[in-house]
């Protein structure tokens, strides 16, 4: 497939490497220009382009940018065909993104993104730590392979998202529609807790929508207590402890 990735942070870079190594034609862009894309993202054949070129003639576009920046890239999608699958990896964190009233009032994050872009998205790779995505991938069929939720409003878009999650090294789980994707938002039991397919389904079913903002804010306070950047193991334990 022809895949465009907007955002060359940890998740965007890892996905660029996985997909280009797997034989896809991958283009990567960020907000600072193609000359600033790191060599790591391009190691297996991905190419650096402008943001405008990232969305041209693509089968899939992956948005891997901070949640609050979604409106800024919306004009890029005005001429993107309806059949192009757009996958959003972002999460809302008020301390980083600033307050977004609609989401604070309960709008599902992926539905807010859909409104900003003027088109539906697939929600994927938002419920995995960047270190987990980079280090814990495994071939299909591996026992206890980590599973990731994928939500979308059409079966075809969800199928594409699930295929790419599988190719990125994780078991894809059909998490339903975008209206259901609140279950994979930050600090839900399925969020960044490294579960296999069976346990991920249980975690999604156990999600408490009303409690999530309080849990998120409490966990942020604990993260800020770290005197250095927390490790994957520390973050994993923190996320898991929120639901014990």
């Amino acid at each position: 497939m022809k895949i465009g990735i907007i955002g060359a942070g940890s998740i965007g870079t890892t996905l660029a490497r996985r997909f280009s190594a797997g034989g896809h034609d991958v283009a990567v862009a960020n907000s600072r220009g193609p000359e600033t894309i790191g060599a790591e993202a391009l190691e297996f054949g991905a190419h650096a382009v402008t943001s405008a070129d990232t969305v041209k003639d693509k089968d899939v576009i992956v948005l891997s940018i901070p949640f609050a920046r979604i409106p800024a890239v919306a004009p890029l999608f005005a001429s993107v065909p309806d059949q192009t699958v757009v996958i959003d990896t972002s999460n809302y964190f008020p301390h980083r993104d600033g307050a977004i009233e609609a989401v604070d009032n309960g709008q599902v994050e992926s539905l807010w993104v859909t409104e900003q872009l003027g088109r539906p998205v697939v929600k994927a790779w938002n419920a995995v730590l960047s270190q987990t995505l980079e280090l814990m991938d495994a071939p299909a069929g591996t026992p206890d392979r980590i599973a990731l939720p994928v939500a979308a409003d059409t079966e075809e878009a969800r199928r594409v998202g699930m295929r790419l999650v599988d190719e990125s090294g994780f078991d894809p789980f059909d998490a339903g529609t975008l209206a259901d994707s609140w279950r994979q938002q930050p600090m839900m039991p399925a969020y960044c807790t490294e579960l296999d397919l069976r346990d991920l389904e249980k975690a999604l079913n156990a999600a408490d929508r009303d409690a999530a903002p309080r849990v998120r804010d409490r966990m942020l306070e604990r993260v800020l207590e770290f005197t250095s950047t927390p490790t994957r193991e520390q973050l994993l334990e923190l996320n898991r402890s929120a639901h014990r």
Side-chain angles (χ1 to χ4, degrees):
M1 291 189 288
K2 293 182 178 179
I3 301 174
I5 299 177
I6 302 177
S10 297
I11 287 180
T13 292
T14 299
L15 293 179
R17 290 169 58 83
R18 294 273 161 78
F19 297 149
S20 56
H24 297 290
D25 181 358
V26 180
V28 189
N30 63 15
S31 60
R32 295 175 294 143
E35 68 280 359
T36 67
I37 301 292
E40 183 181 11
L42 311 178
E43 181 179 1
F44 297 109
H47 43 284
V49 300
T50 65
S51 295
D53 285 338
T54 311
V55 302
K56 290 181 181 178
D57 302 318
K58 298 297 186 293
D59 301 303
V60 177
I61 301 168
V62 178
L63 270 176
S64 188
I65 62 176
F67 189 81
R69 287 186 52 212
I70 297 290
V73 302
L76 295 173
F77 291 85
S79 59
V80 173
D82 291 342
Q83 64 266 28
T84 300
V85 175
V86 179
I87 304 178
D88 172 40
T89 74
S90 70
N91 293 299
Y92 173 51
F93 291 104
H95 72 283
R96 179 197 65 192
D97 298 313
I100 297 176
E101 184 177 4
V103 182
D104 286 337
N105 289 338
Q107 185 175 26
V108 177
E109 293 175 17
S110 57
L111 294 180
W112 183 87
V113 171
T114 292
E115 285 187 1
Q116 306 313 304
L117 297 182
R119 59 180 300 134
V121 298
V122 177
K123 196 71 170 182
W125 295 296
N126 75 297
V128 60
L129 295 169
S130 60
Q131 302 99 313
T132 303
L133 184 64
E134 179 184 0
L135 301 173
M136 301 302 292
D137 58 302
T142 300
D144 301 321
R145 192 188 195 205
I146 296 171
L148 302 180
V150 180
D153 282 346
T154 69
E155 289 189 9
E156 175 60 19
R158 194 180 304 116
R159 182 191 66 79
V160 172
M162 292 179 70
R163 170 188 166 183
L164 290 175
V165 165
D166 187 27
E167 291 186 17
S168 73
F170 299 84
D171 277 340
F173 182 86
D174 184 342
T177 66
L178 294 180
D180 295 323
S181 65
W182 62 269
R183 298 179 182 276
Q184 64 196 73
Q185 289 178 183
M187 303 326 302
M188 293 295 181
Y191 177 77
C192 299
T193 44
E194 295 190 7
L195 306 174
D196 63 15
L197 280 172
R198 179 182 299 179
D199 288 338
L200 179 62
E201 181 175 19
K202 293 177 182 176
L204 289 167
N205 290 335
D208 183 339
R209 191 170 185 175
D210 293 332
R214 296 192 300 274
V215 175
R216 180 196 63 206
D217 293 345
R218 186 171 71 248
M219 291 299 104
L220 174 61
E221 291 177 359
R222 293 182 61 184
V223 169
L224 293 176
E225 292 173 358
F226 287 101
T227 57
S228 59
T229 302
T231 65
R232 166 184 152 263
E233 290 77 11
Q234 288 172 320
L235 289 173
L236 179 60
E237 174 56 26
L238 188 66
N239 292 337
R240 288 177 172 176
S241 69
H243 306 288
R244 288 176 183 154

